[in-house]
Amino acid sequence: MMYTYREFANLVGTTIRTLRYYEKIGLLSPIDHDGIKQIESSYLVTYQTIQLLKQANYTLEQIKQLLQNQHLNDQLLMQKDLIKIQITSQMAMLKFLEEIEHSPVSDERALFERYLLIQNQEHLHLQFDDPSNLEYRIAFHHRYTTYPISFQQWLFTHYQFHKEDHVLEIGCGDGTLWLENQNQIPADLEITLSDVSYHMLEKSKGNLKAISQIKSYDLANAYHLPYADQSFDKVIMNHVLMYLEDENKALQEVKRVLKPGGIFYCTTIAEDMMQERDALIRRFDPSISFDQSTLYKRFGNENGQLLLEKSFNSAQLFERKEVYTICDVDDYYHFILSGKGLSLHLEPLYKQKGAFYQFLVNEFKKKGKFPLTIHTGLFICRKDN
């Protein structure tokens, strides 16, 4: 079915002027029928898609690229990621306003720091509330590691469990650490798993239901652990501290729940972790960032020992470093996109997904591979007797 500009404008509730502008910039391609421009009925869906993308703060130029490069279903599904990011930012602002309503702050610096803390926490919930992103990254590392054992198995070679130890993991994720090492878990261990994400805990329960040593799955915040003083012989916290705005507060909680002489195992990243990925993204769009430097400066291989020794008797570092060779553009693309929520500066990436994918394709044609440095560290700390 065909419509004149006036008929189409009346049908969708817009103006002829808007339709002519869309034609001018290439969003609309009318058909000339006996000297009269007419619009096909298929554009009814296209017009509604344009309005949806405009509400999501896409520019008309970005919308044009999306409509040209993606199928309609892909265009609509793509909104899921972006809408989640936008809702998360709005929720952070709402929580911030509610907090200052009940506890006013007059100092501008303190006000800004409080907002950043809330914003960071909300975005981390976005990342870790969906197990699929973490699962994809774990699988990615399994595919490309040059070590004979996985990162989780490597960690287990450093753990020293004793008979009837009570063990707590803070930030257990989907339980991969225990799943991959289930045959190495001492029979008499008592394990408690905790996470800030209900969905992660449910995923862990499903993955680990055959491991009888796991006694409890608890929804818990690292700043306020729901356990009595001196409850655990070992505490594990892998790739968590670097995301916390107040790492010292979390460490005091760890120290509180550890028994005298207990051991704290925690992992982090080094300064050169994924440096090639970050350089690649900067070339594509300097406004996009994983804020990697913020993470390792807060708690990394280079400064972790000094930070930990403020709370513990000793802190020994064990490092694991390798360079992946990635020859699959799609795999690398999805790996990078799986990081939503890990940084406050990733939102522009989801508005340019099509362009970013083509950028990766072009980079691969020039270089034939993507190197990726993976450099992590395990700190082993002991609490004073």
Side-chain angles (χ1 to χ4, degrees), residues 268-313:
T268 186
I269 60 172
E271 184 175 356
D272 58 352
M273 178 72 167
M274 298 195 191
Q275 58 187 353
E276 300 88 351
R277 177 204 63 185
D278 295 343
L280 193 70
I281 289 174
R282 281 195 301 272
R283 291 204 302 276
F284 172 70
D285 184 341
S287 71
I288 301 171
S289 172
F290 275 84
D291 292 328
Q292 196 89 323
S293 62
T294 302
L295 300 182
Y296 66 71
K297 286 178 181 177
R298 183 180 294 145
F299 177 68
N301 281 14
E302 294 77 13
N303 63 0
Q305 185 172 4
L306 289 174
L307 177 66
L308 291 166
E309 286 181 346
K310 294 177 183 177
S311 300
F312 297 95
N313 186 41

mmCIF file of all heavy atoms in Angstrom, residues 268-313:
data_model
loop_
_atom_site.group_PDB
_atom_site.id
_atom_site.type_symbol
_atom_site.label_atom_id
_atom_site.label_comp_id
_atom_site.label_asym_id
_atom_site.label_seq_id
_atom_site.Cartn_x
_atom_site.Cartn_y
_atom_site.Cartn_z
ATOM 1 N N THR A 268 43.676 -9.348 41.513
ATOM 2 C CA THR A 268 43.496 -8.054 40.863
ATOM 3 C C THR A 268 44.199 -8.077 39.508
ATOM 4 O O THR A 268 44.529 -9.152 38.997
ATOM 5 C CB THR A 268 44.014 -6.918 41.759
ATOM 6 O OG1 THR A 268 43.695 -5.660 41.138
ATOM 7 C CG2 THR A 268 45.508 -7.009 41.992
ATOM 8 N N ILE A 269 44.431 -6.891 38.933
ATOM 9 C CA ILE A 269 45.064 -6.784 37.615
ATOM 10 C C ILE A 269 46.305 -5.908 37.701
ATOM 11 O O ILE A 269 46.489 -5.162 38.657
ATOM 12 C CB ILE A 269 44.096 -6.204 36.564
ATOM 13 C CG1 ILE A 269 43.646 -4.797 36.987
ATOM 14 C CG2 ILE A 269 42.902 -7.121 36.366
ATOM 15 C CD1 ILE A 269 42.840 -4.060 35.943
ATOM 16 N N ALA A 270 47.131 -6.013 36.660
ATOM 17 C CA ALA A 270 48.341 -5.190 36.568
ATOM 18 C C ALA A 270 48.098 -4.016 35.620
ATOM 19 O O ALA A 270 47.102 -3.960 34.894
ATOM 20 C CB ALA A 270 49.505 -6.030 36.082
ATOM 21 N N GLU A 271 49.033 -3.094 35.601
ATOM 22 C CA GLU A 271 48.914 -1.870 34.806
ATOM 23 C C GLU A 271 48.770 -2.145 33.313
ATOM 24 O O GLU A 271 48.089 -1.414 32.592
ATOM 25 C CB GLU A 271 50.134 -0.976 35.054
ATOM 26 C CG GLU A 271 50.080 0.360 34.363
ATOM 27 C CD GLU A 271 51.247 1.247 34.728
ATOM 28 O OE1 GLU A 271 52.055 0.819 35.589
ATOM 29 O OE2 GLU A 271 51.362 2.340 34.172
ATOM 30 N N ASP A 272 49.412 -3.215 32.824
ATOM 31 C CA ASP A 272 49.364 -3.502 31.389
ATOM 32 C C ASP A 272 48.235 -4.450 31.000
ATOM 33 O O ASP A 272 48.167 -4.918 29.864
ATOM 34 C CB ASP A 272 50.705 -4.060 30.905
ATOM 35 C CG ASP A 272 51.111 -5.330 31.639
ATOM 36 O OD1 ASP A 272 50.449 -5.705 32.628
ATOM 37 O OD2 ASP A 272 52.123 -5.961 31.232
ATOM 38 N N MET A 273 47.315 -4.729 31.902
ATOM 39 C CA MET A 273 46.195 -5.617 31.616
ATOM 40 C C MET A 273 45.350 -5.071 30.462
ATOM 41 O O MET A 273 44.862 -3.942 30.507
ATOM 42 C CB MET A 273 45.327 -5.765 32.871
ATOM 43 C CG MET A 273 44.087 -6.628 32.693
ATOM 44 S SD MET A 273 44.522 -8.374 32.540
ATOM 45 C CE MET A 273 42.898 -9.118 32.739
ATOM 46 N N MET A 274 45.228 -5.852 29.392
ATOM 47 C CA MET A 274 44.404 -5.519 28.227
ATOM 48 C C MET A 274 44.751 -4.157 27.639
ATOM 49 O O MET A 274 43.879 -3.430 27.142
ATOM 50 C CB MET A 274 42.912 -5.590 28.563
ATOM 51 C CG MET A 274 42.453 -6.969 28.972
ATOM 52 S SD MET A 274 40.673 -7.153 28.959
ATOM 53 C CE MET A 274 40.487 -8.737 29.797
ATOM 54 N N GLN A 275 46.012 -3.796 27.647
ATOM 55 C CA GLN A 275 46.412 -2.491 27.143
ATOM 56 C C GLN A 275 46.102 -2.335 25.651
ATOM 57 O O GLN A 275 45.795 -1.238 25.175
ATOM 58 C CB GLN A 275 47.912 -2.282 27.390
ATOM 59 C CG GLN A 275 48.802 -3.334 26.766
ATOM 60 C CD GLN A 275 50.264 -3.181 27.172
ATOM 61 O OE1 GLN A 275 50.641 -2.216 27.827
ATOM 62 N NE2 GLN A 275 51.101 -4.142 26.798
ATOM 63 N N GLU A 276 46.152 -3.438 24.901
ATOM 64 C CA GLU A 276 45.881 -3.366 23.459
ATOM 65 C C GLU A 276 44.402 -3.060 23.196
ATOM 66 O O GLU A 276 44.074 -2.309 22.272
ATOM 67 C CB GLU A 276 46.263 -4.686 22.776
ATOM 68 C CG GLU A 276 47.734 -5.059 22.917
ATOM 69 C CD GLU A 276 48.027 -5.874 24.185
ATOM 70 O OE1 GLU A 276 47.119 -6.010 25.038
ATOM 71 O OE2 GLU A 276 49.151 -6.381 24.310
ATOM 72 N N ARG A 277 43.529 -3.647 23.993
ATOM 73 C CA ARG A 277 42.090 -3.363 23.844
ATOM 74 C C ARG A 277 41.799 -1.889 24.082
ATOM 75 O O ARG A 277 41.056 -1.244 23.324
ATOM 76 C CB ARG A 277 41.293 -4.203 24.839
ATOM 77 C CG ARG A 277 39.788 -3.937 24.839
ATOM 78 C CD ARG A 277 39.142 -4.328 26.169
ATOM 79 N NE ARG A 277 39.656 -3.529 27.275
ATOM 80 C CZ ARG A 277 39.331 -3.734 28.551
ATOM 81 N NH1 ARG A 277 38.511 -4.713 28.866
ATOM 82 N NH2 ARG A 277 39.837 -2.966 29.496
ATOM 83 N N ASP A 278 42.404 -1.336 25.135
ATOM 84 C CA ASP A 278 42.145 0.057 25.477
ATOM 85 C C ASP A 278 42.689 1.017 24.423
ATOM 86 O O ASP A 278 42.061 2.030 24.098
ATOM 87 C CB ASP A 278 42.747 0.371 26.848
ATOM 88 C CG ASP A 278 42.070 -0.419 27.966
ATOM 89 O OD1 ASP A 278 40.964 -0.924 27.724
ATOM 90 O OD2 ASP A 278 42.643 -0.531 29.055
ATOM 91 N N ALA A 279 43.845 0.688 23.862
ATOM 92 C CA ALA A 279 44.416 1.522 22.795
ATOM 93 C C ALA A 279 43.535 1.460 21.549
ATOM 94 O O ALA A 279 43.336 2.470 20.859
ATOM 95 C CB ALA A 279 45.832 1.056 22.477
ATOM 96 N N LEU A 280 43.013 0.288 21.268
ATOM 97 C CA LEU A 280 42.126 0.092 20.113
ATOM 98 C C LEU A 280 40.876 0.949 20.256
ATOM 99 O O LEU A 280 40.473 1.654 19.319
ATOM 100 C CB LEU A 280 41.758 -1.392 20.019
ATOM 101 C CG LEU A 280 41.090 -1.888 18.737
ATOM 102 C CD1 LEU A 280 42.099 -1.873 17.590
ATOM 103 C CD2 LEU A 280 40.549 -3.292 18.943
ATOM 104 N N ILE A 281 40.271 0.920 21.429
ATOM 105 C CA ILE A 281 39.045 1.681 21.663
ATOM 106 C C ILE A 281 39.309 3.182 21.598
ATOM 107 O O ILE A 281 38.501 3.942 21.067
ATOM 108 C CB ILE A 281 38.426 1.282 23.015
ATOM 109 C CG1 ILE A 281 37.848 -0.127 22.911
ATOM 110 C CG2 ILE A 281 37.345 2.264 23.440
ATOM 111 C CD1 ILE A 281 37.336 -0.693 24.210
ATOM 112 N N ARG A 282 40.458 3.615 22.111
ATOM 113 C CA ARG A 282 40.797 5.043 22.033
ATOM 114 C C ARG A 282 40.903 5.505 20.589
ATOM 115 O O ARG A 282 40.517 6.634 20.267
ATOM 116 C CB ARG A 282 42.109 5.324 22.770
ATOM 117 C CG ARG A 282 41.966 5.408 24.286
ATOM 118 C CD ARG A 282 43.190 6.048 24.917
ATOM 119 N NE ARG A 282 44.418 5.313 24.626
ATOM 120 C CZ ARG A 282 44.887 4.311 25.351
ATOM 121 N NH1 ARG A 282 44.210 3.888 26.414
ATOM 122 N NH2 ARG A 282 46.017 3.709 25.026
ATOM 123 N N ARG A 283 41.445 4.670 19.717
ATOM 124 C CA ARG A 283 41.549 5.036 18.298
ATOM 125 C C ARG A 283 40.167 5.135 17.663
ATOM 126 O O ARG A 283 39.945 5.961 16.773
ATOM 127 C CB ARG A 283 42.402 4.017 17.530
ATOM 128 C CG ARG A 283 43.873 4.047 17.884
ATOM 129 C CD ARG A 283 44.738 3.493 16.758
ATOM 130 N NE ARG A 283 44.392 2.121 16.408
ATOM 131 C CZ ARG A 283 44.849 1.048 17.029
ATOM 132 N NH1 ARG A 283 45.662 1.184 18.071
ATOM 133 N NH2 ARG A 283 44.495 -0.158 16.636
ATOM 134 N N PHE A 284 39.259 4.303 18.112
ATOM 135 C CA PHE A 284 37.897 4.340 17.564
ATOM 136 C C PHE A 284 37.135 5.560 18.059
ATOM 137 O O PHE A 284 36.506 6.292 17.279
ATOM 138 C CB PHE A 284 37.147 3.057 17.929
ATOM 139 C CG PHE A 284 35.691 3.096 17.570
ATOM 140 C CD1 PHE A 284 35.289 3.073 16.244
ATOM 141 C CD2 PHE A 284 34.718 3.179 18.570
ATOM 142 C CE1 PHE A 284 33.932 3.119 15.909
ATOM 143 C CE2 PHE A 284 33.365 3.227 18.253
ATOM 144 C CZ PHE A 284 32.979 3.202 16.914
ATOM 145 N N ASP A 285 37.167 5.790 19.381
ATOM 146 C CA ASP A 285 36.454 6.919 19.968
ATOM 147 C C ASP A 285 37.072 7.210 21.334
ATOM 148 O O ASP A 285 36.881 6.440 22.283
ATOM 149 C CB ASP A 285 34.966 6.591 20.128
ATOM 150 C CG ASP A 285 34.150 7.770 20.651
ATOM 151 O OD1 ASP A 285 34.745 8.696 21.227
ATOM 152 O OD2 ASP A 285 32.920 7.755 20.484
ATOM 153 N N PRO A 286 37.796 8.310 21.466
ATOM 154 C CA PRO A 286 38.478 8.627 22.740
ATOM 155 C C PRO A 286 37.527 8.814 23.921
ATOM 156 O O PRO A 286 37.975 8.767 25.074
ATOM 157 C CB PRO A 286 39.210 9.941 22.429
ATOM 158 C CG PRO A 286 39.332 9.976 20.947
ATOM 159 C CD PRO A 286 38.109 9.297 20.418
ATOM 160 N N SER A 287 36.247 9.014 23.666
ATOM 161 C CA SER A 287 35.306 9.205 24.769
ATOM 162 C C SER A 287 34.898 7.898 25.427
ATOM 163 O O SER A 287 34.304 7.894 26.506
ATOM 164 C CB SER A 287 34.047 9.927 24.275
ATOM 165 O OG SER A 287 33.263 9.083 23.454
ATOM 166 N N ILE A 288 35.227 6.767 24.795
ATOM 167 C CA ILE A 288 34.869 5.449 25.329
ATOM 168 C C ILE A 288 36.041 4.912 26.145
ATOM 169 O O ILE A 288 37.187 4.970 25.706
ATOM 170 C CB ILE A 288 34.528 4.466 24.197
ATOM 171 C CG1 ILE A 288 33.357 4.997 23.369
ATOM 172 C CG2 ILE A 288 34.198 3.079 24.760
ATOM 173 C CD1 ILE A 288 33.082 4.200 22.113
ATOM 174 N N SER A 289 35.748 4.386 27.315
ATOM 175 C CA SER A 289 36.834 3.896 28.170
ATOM 176 C C SER A 289 36.342 2.858 29.159
ATOM 177 O O SER A 289 35.232 2.961 29.685
ATOM 178 C CB SER A 289 37.469 5.062 28.930
ATOM 179 O OG SER A 289 38.384 4.589 29.891
ATOM 180 N N PHE A 290 37.184 1.857 29.419
ATOM 181 C CA PHE A 290 36.936 0.887 30.482
ATOM 182 C C PHE A 290 37.476 1.379 31.826
ATOM 183 O O PHE A 290 37.372 0.684 32.821
ATOM 184 C CB PHE A 290 37.586 -0.456 30.141
ATOM 185 C CG PHE A 290 36.735 -1.343 29.271
ATOM 186 C CD1 PHE A 290 36.728 -1.198 27.892
ATOM 187 C CD2 PHE A 290 35.936 -2.318 29.840
ATOM 188 C CE1 PHE A 290 35.943 -2.012 27.090
ATOM 189 C CE2 PHE A 290 35.140 -3.134 29.056
ATOM 190 C CZ PHE A 290 35.141 -2.984 27.674
ATOM 191 N N ASP A 291 38.068 2.562 31.830
ATOM 192 C CA ASP A 291 38.638 3.134 33.059
ATOM 193 C C ASP A 291 39.597 2.171 33.747
ATOM 194 O O ASP A 291 39.630 2.053 34.971
ATOM 195 C CB ASP A 291 37.529 3.523 34.045
ATOM 196 C CG ASP A 291 36.702 4.699 33.537
ATOM 197 O OD1 ASP A 291 37.290 5.548 32.839
ATOM 198 O OD2 ASP A 291 35.508 4.771 33.832
ATOM 199 N N GLN A 292 40.390 1.461 32.935
ATOM 200 C CA GLN A 292 41.288 0.449 33.489
ATOM 201 C C GLN A 292 42.291 1.059 34.473
ATOM 202 O O GLN A 292 42.609 0.450 35.493
ATOM 203 C CB GLN A 292 42.042 -0.240 32.338
ATOM 204 C CG GLN A 292 42.703 -1.536 32.733
ATOM 205 C CD GLN A 292 41.781 -2.730 32.569
ATOM 206 O OE1 GLN A 292 40.588 -2.634 32.813
ATOM 207 N NE2 GLN A 292 42.334 -3.836 32.172
ATOM 208 N N SER A 293 42.760 2.246 34.162
ATOM 209 C CA SER A 293 43.751 2.865 35.041
ATOM 210 C C SER A 293 43.169 3.138 36.425
ATOM 211 O O SER A 293 43.868 3.034 37.441
ATOM 212 C CB SER A 293 44.279 4.166 34.430
ATOM 213 O OG SER A 293 43.235 5.107 34.267
ATOM 214 N N THR A 294 41.884 3.473 36.479
ATOM 215 C CA THR A 294 41.235 3.686 37.770
ATOM 216 C C THR A 294 41.262 2.422 38.605
ATOM 217 O O THR A 294 41.478 2.460 39.819
ATOM 218 C CB THR A 294 39.775 4.144 37.568
ATOM 219 O OG1 THR A 294 39.766 5.345 36.800
ATOM 220 C CG2 THR A 294 39.082 4.373 38.897
ATOM 221 N N LEU A 295 41.075 1.285 37.945
ATOM 222 C CA LEU A 295 41.019 0.010 38.658
ATOM 223 C C LEU A 295 42.368 -0.361 39.260
ATOM 224 O O LEU A 295 42.472 -0.649 40.456
ATOM 225 C CB LEU A 295 40.539 -1.101 37.712
ATOM 226 C CG LEU A 295 39.148 -0.916 37.097
ATOM 227 C CD1 LEU A 295 38.797 -2.113 36.222
ATOM 228 C CD2 LEU A 295 38.094 -0.719 38.167
ATOM 229 N N TYR A 296 43.431 -0.349 38.425
ATOM 230 C CA TYR A 296 44.708 -0.803 38.972
ATOM 231 C C TYR A 296 45.343 0.234 39.899
ATOM 232 O O TYR A 296 46.145 -0.106 40.764
ATOM 233 C CB TYR A 296 45.675 -1.253 37.867
ATOM 234 C CG TYR A 296 46.179 -0.192 36.919
ATOM 235 C CD1 TYR A 296 47.092 0.781 37.316
ATOM 236 C CD2 TYR A 296 45.785 -0.207 35.584
ATOM 237 C CE1 TYR A 296 47.552 1.736 36.433
ATOM 238 C CE2 TYR A 296 46.245 0.749 34.685
ATOM 239 C CZ TYR A 296 47.133 1.713 35.125
ATOM 240 O OH TYR A 296 47.601 2.658 34.249
ATOM 241 N N LYS A 297 44.967 1.511 39.732
ATOM 242 C CA LYS A 297 45.466 2.525 40.667
ATOM 243 C C LYS A 297 44.778 2.399 42.022
ATOM 244 O O LYS A 297 45.365 2.670 43.058
ATOM 245 C CB LYS A 297 45.266 3.930 40.100
ATOM 246 C CG LYS A 297 46.233 4.274 38.974
ATOM 247 C CD LYS A 297 45.963 5.654 38.409
ATOM 248 C CE LYS A 297 46.917 5.975 37.272
ATOM 249 N NZ LYS A 297 46.616 7.298 36.650
ATOM 250 N N ARG A 298 43.518 1.961 41.994
ATOM 251 C CA ARG A 298 42.795 1.755 43.245
ATOM 252 C C ARG A 298 43.339 0.527 43.970
ATOM 253 O O ARG A 298 43.578 0.557 45.168
ATOM 254 C CB ARG A 298 41.302 1.590 42.941
ATOM 255 C CG ARG A 298 40.434 1.432 44.186
ATOM 256 C CD ARG A 298 38.986 1.267 43.783
ATOM 257 N NE ARG A 298 38.464 2.476 43.166
ATOM 258 C CZ ARG A 298 37.576 2.479 42.172
ATOM 259 N NH1 ARG A 298 37.133 1.349 41.663
ATOM 260 N NH2 ARG A 298 37.120 3.617 41.685
ATOM 261 N N PHE A 299 43.491 -0.575 43.238
ATOM 262 C CA PHE A 299 44.036 -1.797 43.827
ATOM 263 C C PHE A 299 44.557 -2.678 42.695
ATOM 264 O O PHE A 299 43.792 -3.337 41.999
ATOM 265 C CB PHE A 299 42.972 -2.542 44.639
ATOM 266 C CG PHE A 299 43.469 -3.847 45.203
ATOM 267 C CD1 PHE A 299 44.423 -3.861 46.198
ATOM 268 C CD2 PHE A 299 42.987 -5.053 44.727
ATOM 269 C CE1 PHE A 299 44.900 -5.068 46.713
ATOM 270 C CE2 PHE A 299 43.441 -6.267 45.233
ATOM 271 C CZ PHE A 299 44.398 -6.268 46.232
ATOM 272 N N GLY A 300 45.875 -2.669 42.503
ATOM 273 C CA GLY A 300 46.473 -3.441 41.418
ATOM 274 C C GLY A 300 47.709 -4.177 41.880
ATOM 275 O O GLY A 300 48.111 -4.113 43.048
ATOM 276 N N ASN A 301 48.329 -4.880 40.956
ATOM 277 C CA ASN A 301 49.562 -5.611 41.274
ATOM 278 C C ASN A 301 50.634 -4.679 41.845
ATOM 279 O O ASN A 301 51.383 -5.047 42.750
ATOM 280 C CB ASN A 301 50.112 -6.282 40.016
ATOM 281 C CG ASN A 301 49.388 -7.564 39.663
ATOM 282 O OD1 ASN A 301 48.311 -7.838 40.202
ATOM 283 N ND2 ASN A 301 49.942 -8.347 38.759
ATOM 284 N N GLU A 302 50.674 -3.470 41.297
ATOM 285 C CA GLU A 302 51.761 -2.566 41.633
ATOM 286 C C GLU A 302 51.645 -1.959 43.031
ATOM 287 O O GLU A 302 52.658 -1.681 43.674
ATOM 288 C CB GLU A 302 51.841 -1.438 40.584
ATOM 289 C CG GLU A 302 52.247 -1.900 39.182
ATOM 290 C CD GLU A 302 51.130 -2.571 38.415
ATOM 291 O OE1 GLU A 302 49.957 -2.484 38.840
ATOM 292 O OE2 GLU A 302 51.420 -3.197 37.378
ATOM 293 N N ASN A 303 50.416 -1.717 43.498
ATOM 294 C CA ASN A 303 50.247 -1.053 44.788
ATOM 295 C C ASN A 303 49.507 -1.902 45.822
ATOM 296 O O ASN A 303 49.282 -1.472 46.949
ATOM 297 C CB ASN A 303 49.506 0.277 44.618
ATOM 298 C CG ASN A 303 48.083 0.075 44.091
ATOM 299 O OD1 ASN A 303 47.648 -1.047 43.861
ATOM 300 N ND2 ASN A 303 47.369 1.169 43.893
ATOM 301 N N GLY A 304 49.111 -3.109 45.439
ATOM 302 C CA GLY A 304 48.289 -3.944 46.308
ATOM 303 C C GLY A 304 48.947 -4.319 47.624
ATOM 304 O O GLY A 304 48.296 -4.353 48.671
ATOM 305 N N GLN A 305 50.250 -4.584 47.575
ATOM 306 C CA GLN A 305 50.935 -5.017 48.788
ATOM 307 C C GLN A 305 50.905 -3.930 49.866
ATOM 308 O O GLN A 305 50.614 -4.201 51.038
ATOM 309 C CB GLN A 305 52.381 -5.406 48.481
ATOM 310 C CG GLN A 305 53.117 -5.983 49.672
ATOM 311 C CD GLN A 305 54.486 -6.551 49.299
ATOM 312 O OE1 GLN A 305 54.932 -6.445 48.163
ATOM 313 N NE2 GLN A 305 55.152 -7.148 50.266
ATOM 314 N N LEU A 306 51.172 -2.694 49.474
ATOM 315 C CA LEU A 306 51.156 -1.590 50.439
ATOM 316 C C LEU A 306 49.776 -1.416 51.059
ATOM 317 O O LEU A 306 49.638 -1.179 52.265
ATOM 318 C CB LEU A 306 51.588 -0.288 49.756
ATOM 319 C CG LEU A 306 53.068 -0.178 49.371
ATOM 320 C CD1 LEU A 306 53.305 1.095 48.573
ATOM 321 C CD2 LEU A 306 53.945 -0.204 50.613
ATOM 322 N N LEU A 307 48.753 -1.544 50.224
ATOM 323 C CA LEU A 307 47.389 -1.395 50.720
ATOM 324 C C LEU A 307 47.029 -2.521 51.694
ATOM 325 O O LEU A 307 46.488 -2.280 52.774
ATOM 326 C CB LEU A 307 46.415 -1.385 49.546
ATOM 327 C CG LEU A 307 44.932 -1.310 49.900
ATOM 328 C CD1 LEU A 307 44.611 0.018 50.559
ATOM 329 C CD2 LEU A 307 44.075 -1.511 48.656
ATOM 330 N N LEU A 308 47.359 -3.747 51.325
ATOM 331 C CA LEU A 308 46.974 -4.906 52.131
ATOM 332 C C LEU A 308 47.726 -4.971 53.459
ATOM 333 O O LEU A 308 47.184 -5.411 54.470
ATOM 334 C CB LEU A 308 47.196 -6.191 51.330
ATOM 335 C CG LEU A 308 46.250 -6.380 50.132
ATOM 336 C CD1 LEU A 308 46.769 -7.478 49.211
ATOM 337 C CD2 LEU A 308 44.841 -6.709 50.602
ATOM 338 N N GLU A 309 48.970 -4.523 53.427
ATOM 339 C CA GLU A 309 49.776 -4.613 54.653
ATOM 340 C C GLU A 309 49.344 -3.598 55.711
ATOM 341 O O GLU A 309 49.800 -3.659 56.850
ATOM 342 C CB GLU A 309 51.258 -4.464 54.320
ATOM 343 C CG GLU A 309 51.819 -5.716 53.648
ATOM 344 C CD GLU A 309 53.301 -5.620 53.331
ATOM 345 O OE1 GLU A 309 53.840 -4.491 53.386
ATOM 346 O OE2 GLU A 309 53.905 -6.653 53.010
ATOM 347 N N LYS A 310 48.435 -2.692 55.357
ATOM 348 C CA LYS A 310 47.846 -1.815 56.362
ATOM 349 C C LYS A 310 46.856 -2.577 57.243
ATOM 350 O O LYS A 310 46.581 -2.185 58.373
ATOM 351 C CB LYS A 310 47.121 -0.644 55.689
ATOM 352 C CG LYS A 310 48.022 0.315 54.930
ATOM 353 C CD LYS A 310 47.195 1.392 54.242
ATOM 354 C CE LYS A 310 48.068 2.320 53.420
ATOM 355 N NZ LYS A 310 47.256 3.344 52.689
ATOM 356 N N SER A 311 46.321 -3.681 56.689
ATOM 357 C CA SER A 311 45.304 -4.447 57.416
ATOM 358 C C SER A 311 45.782 -5.821 57.844
ATOM 359 O O SER A 311 45.230 -6.392 58.791
ATOM 360 C CB SER A 311 44.046 -4.604 56.543
ATOM 361 O OG SER A 311 43.491 -3.351 56.198
ATOM 362 N N PHE A 312 46.803 -6.365 57.146
ATOM 363 C CA PHE A 312 47.230 -7.733 57.408
ATOM 364 C C PHE A 312 48.719 -7.798 57.734
ATOM 365 O O PHE A 312 49.486 -6.904 57.383
ATOM 366 C CB PHE A 312 46.900 -8.624 56.208
ATOM 367 C CG PHE A 312 45.429 -8.725 55.945
ATOM 368 C CD1 PHE A 312 44.817 -7.880 55.021
ATOM 369 C CD2 PHE A 312 44.643 -9.632 56.626
ATOM 370 C CE1 PHE A 312 43.466 -7.947 54.784
ATOM 371 C CE2 PHE A 312 43.275 -9.712 56.397
ATOM 372 C CZ PHE A 312 42.681 -8.864 55.476
ATOM 373 N N ASN A 313 49.091 -8.890 58.356
ATOM 374 C CA ASN A 313 50.465 -9.072 58.805
ATOM 375 C C ASN A 313 51.447 -9.168 57.644
ATOM 376 O O ASN A 313 52.592 -8.744 57.731
ATOM 377 C CB ASN A 313 50.551 -10.340 59.679
ATOM 378 C CG ASN A 313 51.910 -10.524 60.305
ATOM 379 O OD1 ASN A 313 52.516 -9.569 60.757
ATOM 380 N ND2 ASN A 313 52.395 -11.757 60.332
#
